[in-house]
Amino acid sequence: MRLNFIFPTLAVIGSALAQESRFLEIGGINPNLIVVILAILAFRLENPAYFFIAAFTGVIFAKTAPFWELAPLTVFFIAIILWLSKKAGPWNIHLGFLISLFMATTIFYVIADRTFILDRSSGFLYELAYNLFIGAIVWPVSYYFSNEISRRIKL
């Protein structure tokens, strides 16, 4: 049995652990790494089963956040939107990824924690920019690794 879903799942687990450890926190702003990695995987994976296994892992890890009751359902909803959005736009894949990451981060907070946007709008904008910055850095790295891994194990 081929375990091609293991790399995307490990990527989500790693991003969730880094997010929970607040390793990348700057000035009280912690990027939503689960959303960032799901956006990357939505654009990189061709097999929806592998993507949704990784997304389900993200749902499980989103449940560990004690103050976001809607986070698990929101993560799954965002995963569906990300999967559908990768082929919806007329733009190139790089711009489409950044637009999708922008939408995913915004939708996450509109559904899961509206008060974060309303009460701390500057914090939300900083996190949105931080997510886009992290995504813009990790995107080319993932491009290289996804091509290399695909070549070796035929994802």
Side-chain angles (χ1 to χ4, degrees), residues 1 9 14-16 19 22 28 39-40 47 54 88 98 100 107 114 121 141 152 155:
M1 177 177 147
T9 304
S15 67
Q19 180 174 318
R22 304 187 78 74
I40 289 170
N47 188 327
L98 290 174
S100 294
I107 290 169
R114 236 172 286 151
S121 59
V141 174
R152 292 184 185 203
L155 279 178

Side-chain angles (χ1 to χ4, degrees), residues 3-13 41 45 54 149 153 155:
L3 299 176
N4 293 340
F5 66 89
I6 198 82
F7 294 112
T9 304
L10 288 176
V12 170
I13 291 170
L41 292 174
L45 296 175
I149 290 170
I153 64 169
L155 279 178

Side-chain angles (χ1 to χ4, degrees), residues 70-145:
L70 289 175
L73 293 175
T74 306
V75 167
F76 189 72
F77 178 69
I78 287 171
I80 293 169
I81 290 172
L82 286 168
W83 185 259
L84 295 174
S85 74
K86 77 177 183 176
K87 296 193 187 214
W91 46 74
N92 75 24
I93 191 167
H94 307 293
L95 181 60
F97 163 73
L98 290 174
I99 290 171
S100 294
L101 180 56
F102 177 90
M103 291 183 339
T105 302
T106 304
I107 290 169
F108 181 84
Y109 284 108
V110 165
I111 296 172
D113 193 9
R114 236 172 286 151
T115 58
F116 182 63
I117 297 174
L118 299 174
D119 297 341
R120 295 188 53 219
S121 59
S122 63
F124 165 72
L125 292 174
Y126 286 137
E127 183 172 326
L128 180 62
Y130 198 9
N131 282 357
L132 290 170
F133 177 74
I134 297 275
I137 289 173
V138 176
W139 176 256
V141 174
S142 73
Y143 191 77
Y144 170 77
F145 282 112

Side-chain angles (χ1 to χ4, degrees), residues 29-43:
I29 303 297
N30 192 36
N32 193 332
L33 297 175
I34 294 174
V35 171
V36 171
I37 201 70
L38 284 177
I40 289 170
L41 292 174
F43 279 79

